[in-house]
Amino acid sequence: MKYKEYKQSISQLSTQVNQEILAFWKANQVFEQSVTSREGKPTFTFYEGPPSANGTPGIHHVMARTIKDIFCRYHTLKGKQVKRKGGWDTHGLPIELQVEKELGITKEDIGKKISVADYNKKCRETVMKYKDQWDELTEKMGYWVDLQNPYITFENKYIESCWWLLQQLYNKGLLYQGYTIQPYSPAAGTGLSSHELNQPGTYKMVKDTTIVAQFKIKGTPNDYFLAWTTTPWTLPANTALAVGKDIDYVKVKTHNQYTNQPVNVIMAKALMGKILGNKYVNRNDTEEEKFAGKIPYVVCEEMKGEELLGIEYEQLIPFAQPLENAENAFKVIAGDFVTTEDGTGIVHISPTFGADDFRAAKQAGVPPLTILDEEGKEMPLVDKQGRFVKSVKAQFDAYFDNSELKNKYIKPNYIKPEYEEKESAKENYLPSDVLISIMLKEQNKAFKVEKYEHTYPHCWRTDKPVLYYPLESWFIRTTALKDRLVELNKTINWKPESTGTGRFGNWLENLVDWNLSRSRYWGTPLPIWRTEDGKEEVCVGSIEELISLGFLSKEKANEYFDWDNLDKSNLSNALDIFPMSSTGRYISLQEIKRVVPDLESKLDLHKPFADDIVLIKHGLILNRVPDLIDVWFDSGAMPYAQWHYPFENQDIFKANYPADYISEGVDQTRGWFFTLHAIAGLVFDSVAFKNVVSTGLVLDKDGEKMSKRKGNVINPFEAIERYGVDAIRWYMVENSDPWDNLKFNLAGVEELQRKFFSTLQNTYNFFAMYANVDNYEIDEFNVMPYEQRSTLDRWVISVLQNLIETVDKAYTDYDVTKAVRAIQDFVCDQLSNWYVRLSRKRFWIGEMTADKLAAYQTLHECLLVTAQLMSPVAPFFAEWLYKNMTDNIREKAKAKNTPLQYDSVHLTYFTEPNKNLIDKDLEQSMTLAQSICSLVHSIRKDKKIKVRQPLQKILIPILDEATKAQIEAVKDLIKTEVNIKEITYISDDSGILTKKIKPNFRELGKIYGKQMQAIAAEISKMSQADINRLEKEGEFIVYLNGNASKLTLKDVEISSEDIAGWSVAKDGNVTVALDITITDELREEGIARDLVNRIQNIRKDKGLEVQDKIKVFIQEGDKAVNMAIRKHAAYISGETQATVLELLPQVAQGEELEIDDWKVRLEVAVG
RNA sequence: GGGCUUGUAGCUCAGGUGGUUAGAGCGCUACACUGAUAAUGUAGAGGUCCGUGGUUCGAGUCCACGCAGGCCCA
């Protein structure tokens, strides 16, 4: 058997194909070949966004990796060399958390219950926990990526490249130390990550003293801004007030409720009711302090927030002055975060204690309120223990004339246990918020003080409220090159475009400096060493540099290298040990290297080693800044670090930079996409990638996010096992564009399997079965010229060329959905349901003829091209199809160096469409044929005449000659398909056509515009005679409001509607009439065909093979039946491969058949 | 709260530059066909094109404002 036949179900086949092809790829190293065979060809560079192997892969990873895989395979087909280095993302918080969970510890325990070294060792082990599962998925889903030599972000070489990049940034002045306002726990003495803040139970209801403070406008007797705060202790640090530009504000004339002084206060109009409450009464006369027990007020002015901008006010609590730019402080600025939800619509800004505040102040050039500590370092008014600094404390003490400040800690919660007893024991203890309230009330600066219940984040460790506090942080000055980054982004092809212009573009437009610092343990250390005062600072850019500059204390040298016991005979003298009388003895890494030659490989650049190294400069000790860097920097550095650039592989790097293509989830826009872009732009003034597909989410079938809790997670391994990878991959890209969210429904996969893959299987089986019977084998050097092939062949070949073009373009444009839909439509509708169906007879009957040969060659070509076109998406099934179609001639092809010489479809070169074979006219003909057949079927069904009953003719009205010619070209196909004898055409002079006229709105609209309705009405009134005259003369006059308007043919659409006295069906502008008269002759023919059908069924029931011969004996019966058999004996025997067909008076054996209204007894014998 | 995105038949999706009767597949109902047969054909039922307003002779399509879902950011 030359072509293997596959009779199993499609699901069995899919599983089998997966296994066999995978084994084939492995045994023949097909992936490796697909890269090596393109050596020296242009490269198509793909960057793999590294997954983290500390979690298990999910179905969404199948989606993401399918998209990645498709375009790499496609460009391989196009002859490019596509290297794809795999990678692993190995640093970061999720890994730390997992380790902590496994060990049952918290961050607090690190350095106590477990050493940093052991902790990081554990992280290193955990990182690859599920690597096996990932590798298995990669292989099973047919994702081709180099897993043999992946980049791993925790390796020294990788870190070294990161350091080099950081040094580049540092040297350009783009890496600097600054501050960010972060959640900080004074009780624990540590910053909190947003993740820690998102722990359940962190947000608690608390009751705080809140103040609506009065900020006096400069140069006015008693005009005030009102601003509300839930953290009164931040008021001494106030340097600005923020308003919303578009918010409406009012100035209200009234009295202060605590001092009774007349005041004019400004607040948001929308919040006036809430602020004044029922203590106030609206009255024109506000001279009196009280009216009916309430305070009278009146609105005296209204304004927009915009008008308030820049107005200066007097400092509320002048206990300290800004260190710099004091002239820019104490004025009104704009804040996009200002709302009229609560408060006053005017927000008190203390840049040192609020993230929004910090940002808004910075934008407006407003300075923070800071002081210099004893060492001359700038710090906010509150220290890290949560206490006011001495100078502020002294001012409070002075105001309250009290030697021991009652509000030393800004929140009572922060009082350390050892003080608690002492301080709270005092009867007159009051929280600072209360003290400030008292002070402001007395000074006519508090409009309203009240308790307010709200949620506030608490430290999960100490259970005490967090403080938003400025912490030291290292930044990359991305803002310095913002415009360039924006410009570079415009050269990137984003799919979809909106992600690039919208989400990413806006992000770039509103860029802030990249905060690089992370206070963690497992990650790339920031390679900056500095003296305590920050005066000396070194950014290290390589391991070599580290060794040349670094020192280890003697203790550490012993710990890491067993220094005391090493053979140090090579060392010249003790000068190599740097003596520091006060701090101990340090040994330079250079010296250690002399004794430990493979030092580099023994280093671990992670903590704690990196922290244990000191640099010595001008006799000063430089310690490493303890921060780690954002893991996103790791992944953004992969174009360089994956090749250990610039320390190694400079040539490979240059040939593969920037990437032609990357793809990740749209949620990576501000993650990986950004970090790639930022590093490339800042360090190399380049883009990192030219094309990017951002993929959407994979949701469950109801559009819900998949989660373990909901139990709607789809296990990728099970799904693959059950449906095969190809159906899943195909489904994922066919169902919706990759960038839209996908509602993943296994029922849809199943449907696709039935619909598409099963059809393909059947089509192949059909080919294989007959090819084997006829001993057909493709011969690449002896194919029938296309012009000699049948209409049907030329048509399908033409359609195939269109398909190649469409698919090629779609893949080029990263529109994979378009590509697969086109392939699917071709296979199901054009190839299987039209070409094969109409060609069945050609394969079935008789000897090998030229026509039959053409049919084989045509079908072979279609299936082969289909295999190639679909191979990027369904790599297994495509391979299976390709091999089945070509394995039998491989040796010949290799010998002769033909396109089919490749063992795998994935090693072939993309078929070029042959435009000469595209015949648009023929395609239109076939479209007509398809629609005419469909219409005839529809009439037959309506009249209950089965297709097996031949009918005499159909009538097709023809309004132009071109259409007639097109139908003529396919008339035989139509006749066979719908079982009629002849087609006749009628033209409009036959007098039996009823025509319909319709305005061509598109044309008429241009001319008549508003008169459209009227003219449409006129056209609908036209009679048959009018239509005929328009057609004949090419114009027709209608009257609109008495004005003559000339209609021409292009202003209308004319179609034939009906044919008097016929059974008619109509679709678009095709109309068909069917002659439903059944003459005796036709009936006899119908009987013959019925008989053929029944005999075929009997053959099949008996399990006969296609080529088996039979003898048929029929018992005489109904006259018409007898006549039919006699007349059509040759036809019947031919169709059923009967060597004998006899009509006998009596047939004892056999069976009695009932067909319609007649019966027949017959026997079918083998032989 | 902001940016982006989606909303068309029970389900999954098509519907260049506005053109009057909005389509396909699946599912459902009925009928037919049968050497590809767990396939196929024909017909039917099924629509507030998310809503409101606007531009226009004409809006699923363009504009504005909303509503609902999703992602990211605050």
Side-chain angles (χ1 to χ4, degrees):
Chain A
M1 193 183 287
K2 289 198 168 147
Y3 295 99
K4 237 176 129 184
E5 290 173 50
Y6 297 85
K7 295 293 187 189
Q8 59 270 60
S9 73
I10 183 65
S11 47
Q12 284 173 323
L13 179 65
S14 303
T15 314
Q16 183 191 329
V17 165
N18 276 186
Q19 289 164 356
E20 287 178 7
I21 298 300
L22 203 56
F24 165 74
W25 286 346
K26 260 190 182 168
N28 295 278
Q29 299 201 301
V30 178
F31 170 45
E32 290 76 5
Q33 279 194 57
S34 79
V35 179
T36 54
S37 67
R38 267 68 174 166
E39 195 62 57
K41 298 277 172 60
T43 55
F44 178 81
T45 301
F46 166 74
Y47 290 160
E48 166 76 329
S52 173
N54 77 314
T56 54
I59 194 78
H60 55 291
H61 293 110
V62 177
M63 168 76 187
R65 308 176 115 208
T66 298
I67 303 297
K68 294 177 181 184
D69 194 47
I70 287 169
F71 298 105
C72 290
R73 285 184 189 261
Y74 165 69
H75 283 280
T76 301
L77 291 178
K78 295 293 275 186
K80 303 262 182 69
Q81 187 179 39
V82 189
K83 286 191 177 147
R84 8 347 181 183
K85 197 174 170 66
W88 297 106
D89 186 16
T90 58
H91 284 146
L93 190 64
I95 292 148
E96 293 194 358
L97 292 176
Q98 187 165 331
V99 164
E100 284 153 31
K101 204 171 149 195
E102 274 171 31
L103 296 176
I105 60 166
T106 65
K107 280 254 172 334
E108 190 107 298
D109 299 323
I110 303 167
K112 293 174 192 160
K113 285 188 189 165
I114 183 171
S115 72
V116 173
D118 287 345
Y119 177 82
N120 273 357
K121 195 172 154 220
K122 184 77 188 162
C123 286
R124 187 184 284 261
E125 288 161 13
T126 304
V127 150
M128 291 300 181
K129 190 166 180 192
Y130 298 105
K131 181 173 178 291
D132 289 350
Q133 272 197 44
W134 277 88
D135 285 351
E136 188 189 342
L137 182 76
T138 304
E139 188 177 284
K140 283 195 169 160
M141 67 166 289
Y143 178 41
W144 277 0
V145 64
D146 180 4
L147 291 178
Q148 305 308 311
N149 310 293
Y151 64 90
I152 299 170
T153 59
F154 71 57
E155 287 183 342
N156 274 353
K157 285 183 172 186
Y158 197 94
I159 293 175
E160 189 179 24
S161 288
C162 289
W163 280 13
W164 179 82
L165 290 167
L166 289 166
Q167 194 188 45
Q168 297 298 305
L169 293 167
Y170 185 87
N171 291 345
K172 289 179 185 215
L174 296 175
L175 186 61
Y176 70 95
Q177 189 245 304
Y179 294 90
T180 51
I181 308 299
Q182 292 168 39
Y184 175 82
S185 172
T190 172
L192 298 171
S193 67
S194 58
H195 170 264
E196 286 172 299
L197 223 53
N198 282 331
Q199 298 279 332
T202 358
Y203 281 82
K204 296 178 200 234
M205 286 303 279
V206 290
K207 214 169 195 182
D208 275 323
T209 300
T210 68
I211 302 179
V212 174
Q214 291 179 187
F215 293 80
K216 190 171 184 190
I217 297 175
K218 272 190 185 167
T220 65
N222 55 358
D223 285 5
Y224 298 88
F225 290 116
L226 294 188
W228 181 61
T229 178
T230 56
T231 51
W233 59 268
T234 60
L235 287 171
N238 171 280
T239 52
L241 293 172
V243 296
K245 278 185 191 172
D246 297 324
I247 297 175
D248 292 314
Y249 292 89
V250 289
K251 188 195 268 184
V252 172
K253 189 174 157 104
T254 184
H255 295 271
N256 181 290
Q257 61 172 319
Y258 305 114
T259 62
N260 292 328
Q261 292 186 27
V263 291
N264 299 323
V265 290
I266 296 174
M267 66 192 97
K269 190 179 178 186
L271 287 159
M272 193 168 66
K274 226 170 173 177
I275 296 163
L276 299 176
N278 54 14
K279 275 191 179 171
Y280 293 79
V281 59
N282 192 353
R283 245 180 94 76
N284 283 332
D285 176 19
T286 57
E287 293 309 311
E288 293 293 326
E289 287 168 13
K290 282 274 159 64
F291 178 81
K294 296 189 177 187
I295 306 167
Y297 78 92
V298 65
V299 175
C300 53
E301 215 177 303
E302 285 198 28
M303 66 287 273
K304 282 274 180 198
E306 188 135 28
E307 300 167 48
L308 300 174
L309 295 181
I311 296 180
E312 297 186 359
Y313 61 88
E314 291 172 11
Q315 188 179 7
L316 189 75
I317 304 176
F319 287 180
Q321 293 302 313
L323 289 174
E324 292 167 3
N325 302 326
E327 68 281 5
N328 288 333
F330 315 118
K331 61 177 191 184
V332 177
I333 62 174
D336 52 13
F337 47 85
V338 180
T339 68
T340 52
E341 293 283 302
D342 46 24
T344 64
I346 301 175
V347 174
H348 138 66
I349 298 289
S350 52
T352 48
F353 302 118
D356 275 340
D357 309 40
F358 181 83
R359 193 166 45 84
K362 196 164 186 180
Q363 241 163 33
V366 171
L369 232 172
T370 51
I371 56 134
L372 294 177
D373 68 5
E374 285 127 5
E375 286 156 9
K377 272 183 87 176
E378 190 178 348
M379 68 173 294
L381 301 186
V382 171
D383 69 13
K384 283 190 170 180
Q385 275 71 49
R387 297 175 298 203
F388 278 118
V389 295
K390 275 184 186 160
S391 60
V392 174
K393 177 179 177 290
Q395 304 247 26
F396 275 116
D397 287 350
Y399 182 84
F400 286 105
D401 192 21
N402 189 332
S403 55
E404 186 71 13
L405 176 65
K406 302 153 187 153
N407 64 338
K408 183 168 162 182
Y409 288 91
I410 54 153
K411 293 240 177 228
N413 316 54
Y414 297 154
I415 298 170
K416 294 247 161 82
E418 59 265 35
Y419 300 113
E420 203 154 355
E421 207 180 320
K422 203 167 96 189
E423 297 218 13
S424 60
K426 294 186 177 171
E427 273 178 19
N428 60 351
Y429 173 81
L430 288 168
S432 60
D433 288 349
V434 176
L435 284 174
I436 290 172
S437 306
I438 294 167
M439 182 175 81
L440 295 183
K441 280 181 185 173
E442 289 171 359
Q443 295 176 336
N444 190 36
K445 289 176 180 171
F447 188 76
K448 188 167 155 184
V449 174
E450 60 186 9
K451 291 276 185 183
Y452 177 75
E453 209 170 10
H454 64 138
T455 58
Y456 194 83
H458 288 65
C459 169
W460 58 278
R461 261 174 279 186
T462 61
D463 234 18
K464 295 185 172 172
V466 305
L467 194 61
Y468 288 89
Y469 198 83
L471 297 178
E472 262 187 21
S473 233
W474 285 78
F475 293 87
I476 295 178
R477 207 184 301 276
T478 42
T479 48
L481 283 146
K482 183 179 114 178
D483 294 344
R484 184 63 184 145
L485 291 177
V486 169
E487 205 176 303
L488 286 168
N489 180 42
K490 287 180 182 155
T491 69
I492 297 171
N493 176 33
W494 283 83
K495 297 298 276 190
E497 197 194 337
S498 60
T499 302
T501 53
R503 188 181 281 211
F504 195 68
N506 290 340
W507 164 248
L508 290 180
E509 292 290 346
N510 299 306
L511 206 56
V512 293
D513 283 346
W514 179 0
N515 184 359
L516 203 59
S517 296
R518 294 294 182 275
S519 314
R520 304 224 179 94
Y521 296 93
W522 178 238
T524 301
L526 185 70
I528 289 177
W529 275 260
R530 52 180 357 206
T531 53
E532 201 144 327
D533 59 8
K535 282 184 179 137
E536 290 294 341
E537 191 175 275
V538 173
C539 179
V540 171
S542 68
I543 293 174
E544 196 189 338
E545 206 179 330
L546 184 72
I547 290 175
S548 77
L549 299 174
F551 291 77
L552 274 180
S553 71
K554 188 143 183 296
E555 294 72 35
K556 292 294 175 187
N558 268 324
E559 193 183 315
Y560 289 110
F561 302 105
D562 198 13
W563 176 255
D564 283 343
N565 298 320
L566 287 176
D567 172 15
K568 291 184 282 291
S569 49
N570 280 347
L571 287 186
S572 47
N573 57 50
L575 282 179
D576 300 316
I577 296 175
F578 189 87
M580 294 286 289
S581 54
S582 58
T583 44
R585 290 156 73 81
Y586 286 84
I587 303 160
S588 81
L589 288 174
Q590 277 172 302
E591 296 311 326
I592 295 175
K593 188 172 158 56
R594 274 183 217 166
V595 188
V596 186
D598 57 342
L599 178 65
E600 284 89 344
S601 63
K602 289 193 169 159
L603 297 181
D604 177 358
L605 299 180
H606 288 93
K607 277 170 179 269
F609 182 74
D611 294 349
D612 288 337
I613 292 174
V614 299
L615 270 44
I616 296 174
K617 203 173 170 187
H618 308 315
L620 297 168
I621 299 241
L622 281 64
N623 280 299
R624 198 182 71 79
V625 171
D627 299 17
L628 300 184
I629 62 166
D630 183 3
V631 282
W632 284 113
F633 191 93
D634 286 359
S635 45
M638 66 70 65
Y640 327 95
Q642 69 172 338
W643 299 113
H644 193 211
Y645 180 86
F647 305 101
E648 289 180 75
N649 302 318
Q650 298 216 7
D651 47 338
I652 299 182
F653 169 75
K654 276 174 191 140
N656 289 286
Y657 185 82
D660 289 292
Y661 167 60
I662 61 168
S663 168
E664 291 294 330
V666 68
D667 52 338
Q668 295 287 331
T669 308
R670 287 163 191 197
W672 194 51
F673 294 155
F674 172 68
T675 59
L676 276 177
H677 189 66
I679 295 173
L682 264 50
V683 180
F684 293 87
D685 190 34
S686 164
V687 293
F689 47 91
K690 296 178 191 164
N691 298 284
V692 50
V693 176
S694 69
T695 54
L697 262 65
V698 180
L699 307 170
D700 79 355
K701 62 183 165 58
D702 301 318
E704 300 260 357
K705 214 170 164 171
M706 289 189 191
S707 73
K708 283 194 183 127
R709 189 174 51 76
K710 284 184 201 150
N712 58 354
V713 175
I714 289 176
N715 179 313
F717 294 101
E718 285 169 16
I720 290 173
E721 190 60 38
R722 189 146 161 224
Y723 298 101
V725 188
D726 296 298
I728 293 173
R729 288 175 58 131
W730 194 275
Y731 169 80
M732 284 176 155
V733 298
E734 188 269 345
N735 192 268
S736 58
D737 281 319
W739 40 86
D740 288 336
N741 289 349
L742 171 68
K743 290 180 192 165
F744 190 84
N745 190 351
L746 285 172
V749 179
E750 214 171 312
E751 178 188 325
L752 185 74
Q753 208 175 33
R754 275 206 318 271
K755 184 109 191 90
F756 176 64
F757 288 97
S758 177
T759 303
L760 206 48
Q761 178 196 8
N762 279 322
T763 309
Y764 166 74
N765 270 344
F766 176 87
F767 170 84
M769 182 174 73
Y770 288 115
N772 289 330
V773 170
D774 282 329
N775 237 334
Y776 168 79
E777 184 180 82
I778 186 72
D779 179 352
E780 288 180 273
F781 288 93
N782 189 14
V783 293
M784 187 180 288
Y786 291 104
E787 60 272 19
Q788 290 176 22
R789 299 195 197 182
S790 74
T791 310
L792 197 59
D793 293 339
R794 283 185 288 108
W795 166 77
V796 79
I797 291 291
S798 173
V799 173
L800 184 68
Q801 306 312 310
N802 287 331
L803 178 73
I804 297 170
E805 266 190 343
T806 307
V807 171
D808 192 16
K809 182 164 191 319
Y811 279 139
T812 303
D813 295 343
Y814 298 91
D815 270 335
V816 60
T817 304
K818 209 172 178 182
V820 296
R821 283 179 182 171
I823 297 170
Q824 202 172 313
D825 179 73
F826 174 76
V827 169
C828 295
D829 295 346
Q830 312 303 335
L831 186 62
S832 171
N833 273 338
W834 193 252
Y835 179 77
V836 173
R837 192 151 58 85
L838 267 55
S839 295
R840 262 149 53 182
K841 273 224 156 53
R842 301 164 72 194
F843 292 97
W844 170 234
I845 290 173
E847 299 304 304
M848 182 66 97
T849 58
D851 179 60
K852 195 168 179 179
L853 189 63
Y856 277 120
Q857 289 174 352
T858 306
L859 183 53
H860 190 280
E861 183 175 346
C862 289
L863 284 172
L864 200 58
V865 171
T866 300
Q868 191 188 52
L869 295 181
M870 72 188 283
S871 69
V873 181
F876 294 88
F877 207 87
E879 186 81 303
W880 168 86
L881 184 56
Y882 172 81
K883 286 171 66 57
N884 277 314
M885 301 292 293
T886 59
D887 269 357
N888 56 350
I889 54 128
R890 183 84 60 237
E891 291 314 315
K892 271 188 232 168
K894 280 184 179 169
K896 294 182 177 176
N897 221 10
T898 71
L900 296 185
Q901 65 185 288
Y902 305 102
D903 290 318
S904 161
V905 71
H906 302 289
L907 299 174
T908 60
Y909 290 86
F910 201 85
T911 311
E912 287 298 316
N914 185 344
K915 294 197 181 183
N916 295 327
L917 299 179
I918 296 179
D919 185 343
K920 282 288 165 203
D921 199 43
L922 178 57
E923 287 183 33
Q924 278 173 18
S925 282
M926 202 59 81
T927 309
L928 275 171
Q930 287 172 337
S931 111
I932 289 167
C933 289
S934 163
L935 290 170
V936 175
H937 279 134
S938 146
I939 301 171
R940 277 181 173 273
K941 142 85 174 112
D942 187 46
K943 302 294 174 193
K944 300 205 190 313
I945 303 168
K946 56 191 173 189
V947 180
R948 237 179 289 143
Q949 175 59 58
L951 290 172
Q952 193 54 40
K953 66 174 173 184
I954 57 175
L955 215 57
I956 303 177
I958 291 301
L959 300 175
D960 65 291
E961 283 304 309
T963 311
K964 180 174 172 182
Q966 284 181 329
I967 296 172
E968 273 294 291
V970 290
K971 68 172 176 195
D972 292 338
L973 291 173
I974 298 171
K975 280 166 24 180
T976 321
E977 172 65 9
V978 297
N979 200 12
I980 49 131
K981 303 277 178 204
E982 55 185 292
I983 298 176
T984 46
Y985 305 94
I986 49 171
S987 52
D988 56 349
D989 49 19
S990 64
I992 54 173
L993 279 183
T994 311
K995 283 181 209 157
K996 192 185 174 187
I997 190 162
K998 210 175 93 177
N1000 181 342
F1001 286 96
R1002 196 188 285 270
E1003 289 297 324
L1004 290 171
K1006 289 183 209 157
I1007 308 162
Y1008 295 99
K1010 295 196 185 212
Q1011 292 171 296
M1012 194 71 230
Q1013 302 298 349
I1015 200 147
E1018 286 303 314
I1019 291 171
S1020 70
K1021 278 189 226 155
M1022 285 171 70
S1023 67
Q1024 291 291 314
D1026 292 338
I1027 296 171
N1028 282 336
R1029 191 157 50 176
L1030 170 57
E1031 280 191 307
K1032 205 173 274 176
E1033 294 169 8
E1035 56 180 68
F1036 185 81
I1037 307 294
V1038 291
Y1039 292 91
L1040 280 181
N1041 305 325
N1043 297 323
S1045 303
K1046 199 198 297 176
L1047 284 182
T1048 61
L1049 278 173
K1050 72 171 173 37
D1051 296 332
V1052 294
E1053 287 163 18
I1054 298 171
S1055 58
S1056 61
E1057 176 71 352
D1058 211 349
I1059 302 164
W1062 286 69
S1063 300
V1064 171
K1066 187 169 174 293
D1067 168 39
N1069 48 13
V1070 183
T1071 305
V1072 177
L1074 178 64
D1075 180 354
I1076 55 170
T1077 323
I1078 302 173
T1079 61
D1080 286 349
E1081 210 166 313
L1082 288 172
R1083 177 164 156 76
E1084 284 158 8
E1085 219 180 307
I1087 290 170
R1089 290 185 69 137
D1090 266 329
L1091 264 176
V1092 168
N1093 167 240
R1094 297 310 164 112
I1095 295 169
Q1096 299 286 36
N1097 283 348
I1098 293 166
R1099 279 183 62 113
K1100 208 172 155 195
D1101 291 344
K1102 286 182 182 272
L1104 297 185
E1105 291 301 319
V1106 169
Q1107 61 272 31
D1108 290 338
K1109 304 291 181 200
I1110 54 166
K1111 290 181 179 134
V1112 181
F1113 306 102
I1114 308 173
Q1115 182 172 311
E1116 289 175 353
D1118 186 299
K1119 248 188 182 173
V1121 178
N1122 294 348
M1123 184 62 83
I1125 293 168
R1126 288 201 184 94
K1127 262 194 187 165
H1128 299 287
Y1131 162 73
I1132 299 171
S1133 348
E1135 288 287 312
T1136 59
Q1137 313 236 40
T1139 51
V1140 175
L1141 178 82
E1142 283 186 63
L1143 200 57
L1144 303 171
Q1146 194 68 37
V1147 175
Q1149 312 282 307
E1151 48 203 304
E1152 175 133 326
L1153 302 175
E1154 263 185 63
I1155 304 174
D1156 295 342
D1157 51 348
W1158 50 278
K1159 289 179 186 172
V1160 67
R1161 181 165 195 87
L1162 61 75
E1163 184 194 343
V1164 173
V1166 185

